[in-house]
Amino acid sequence: MPPTPQNPPAPQAAPPTTTTPCPPTGFDCDLQNRIAAVKTYVSHRPGTVGIVLRDRHTGAVWHNEHAEDPTWTASTIKLAMAVDLLRRNREGTITLTPTDHTKITAMLHNSDDDAATTLWTKYGGPDHTLWNKAFPAYGMTSLTPQRGYSQTYPYWGFQKCTTADLDRLMTHVLDKTPAEDKAYIVNNMRTVAANQQWGVWGAGKAATPGNKDGWSEEDGGWVMNTVGFAGPAERYTLAIMNNLTNQGAYDEGRATDTEIARLLFEGRF
């Protein structure tokens, strides 16, 4: 007898594709993976590194375990000085001269120390305390003046704050300063001199970053700090304070800050 025809086997359904969803942090999966890469990277870098990343669109914030460590501000405090001077000038409590404006630009453009000292002395009041009284309104609530090698106290060059302070300061600049003042500060941060083109600058040209860096060699070693923004409409802000604790110096700190920004933003825009 001829063989009985056999029905072909029914096609088997493909196994369902499973993916692990990202935790609902407010950061997309790509950025969550980048944050994980940053955590791994800094675990092998010298000193301690405080980091705060903020997404101004979603409100998401990531800060690491050193974000609240008091650290020498170095020249990042010059950003707060610029904010305060522009506010006081707008309110009419001081009148900035063309020379003053030139010095503010110099502080932001190439971190001019002499310009900062001149402005600090001129506008600090008879006891030099007007600055520190004003700074908490810009988010620098942990900022504390330190005794140092200057005859002036408080003095811009001897202050400590936290990375979270710098994050709040940058947010204040972008969200609360009048439009004209914000445009002035943002433009200066986007067009900094070569000695400022590291740290947040590492986000890359496509991110249209801007930053204010600060670096100094203190008794306890070098500190290398950076605060700024990246992305369309300054969507992301990033603050980093690297206290080298005598485990490295300028070059190591500069590399750490810049690589963090590159890991977070390169290729996203």
Side-chain angles (χ1 to χ4, degrees), residues 23-267:
T25 66
F27 294 117
D28 60 41
C29 286
D30 173 64
L31 200 45
Q32 289 187 48
N33 290 333
R34 290 168 180 264
I35 289 170
V38 167
K39 291 178 180 179
T40 299
Y41 171 72
V42 298
S43 69
H44 301 290
R45 298 300 294 168
T48 60
V49 187
I51 310 170
V52 181
L53 171 68
R54 182 179 297 270
D55 183 339
R56 296 173 56 237
H57 287 196
T58 68
V61 180
W62 169 64
H63 55 84
N64 75 343
E65 67 274 18
H66 293 292
E68 298 286 354
D69 292 359
T71 306
W72 292 104
T73 64
S75 290
T76 56
I77 198 173
K78 294 170 185 172
L79 177 58
M81 290 175 63
V83 171
D84 189 56
L85 288 168
L86 295 175
R87 176 193 63 81
R88 286 199 262 170
N89 183 69
R90 184 173 294 279
E91 292 177 353
T93 57
I94 63 172
T95 301
L96 295 173
T97 67
T99 299
D100 292 334
H101 281 287
T102 298
K103 292 185 182 301
I104 294 171
T105 298
M107 285 198 306
L108 297 175
H109 182 66
N110 62 354
S111 204
D112 190 301
D113 287 348
D114 291 338
T117 297
T118 297
L119 292 168
W120 186 272
T121 302
K122 182 177 181 179
Y123 292 112
D127 58 357
H128 310 290
T129 62
L130 290 180
W131 297 102
N132 280 86
K133 289 176 181 177
F135 290 152
Y138 316 135
M140 302 191 76
T141 54
S142 300
L143 181 73
T144 306
Q146 308 292 310
R147 293 287 179 181
Y149 299 107
S150 171
Q151 293 181 348
T152 301
Y153 177 84
Y155 179 61
W156 72 264
F158 294 105
Q159 308 264 349
K160 286 186 177 182
C161 76
T162 68
T163 315
D165 287 317
L166 294 182
D167 164 66
R168 290 188 293 266
L169 172 63
M170 193 70 255
T171 300
H172 177 90
V173 170
L174 297 175
D175 292 346
K176 296 183 179 180
T177 54
E180 184 178 351
D181 295 348
K182 171 184 172 180
Y184 171 80
I185 294 172
V186 167
N187 180 66
N188 272 286
M189 294 179 74
R190 275 209 177 101
T191 57
V192 292
N195 72 334
Q196 299 279 298
Q197 294 180 12
W198 52 272
V200 179
W201 205 260
K205 184 177 180 180
T208 59
N211 61 241
K212 178 71 194 82
D213 295 334
W215 61 96
S216 63
E217 185 177 12
E218 305 291 346
D219 289 344
W222 279 82
V223 292
M224 300 294 294
N225 308 327
T226 185
V227 59
F229 51 80
E234 302 85 46
R235 175 170 178 172
Y236 299 99
T237 61
L238 177 63
I240 306 169
M241 301 188 85
N242 184 193
N243 183 1
L244 276 300
T245 63
N246 286 318
Q247 298 178 46
Y250 177 93
D251 290 340
E252 289 84 359
R254 175 172 170 151
T256 294
D257 293 359
T258 305
E259 180 65 5
I260 289 170
R262 189 194 70 80
L263 288 170
L264 289 173
F265 298 122
E266 185 179 63

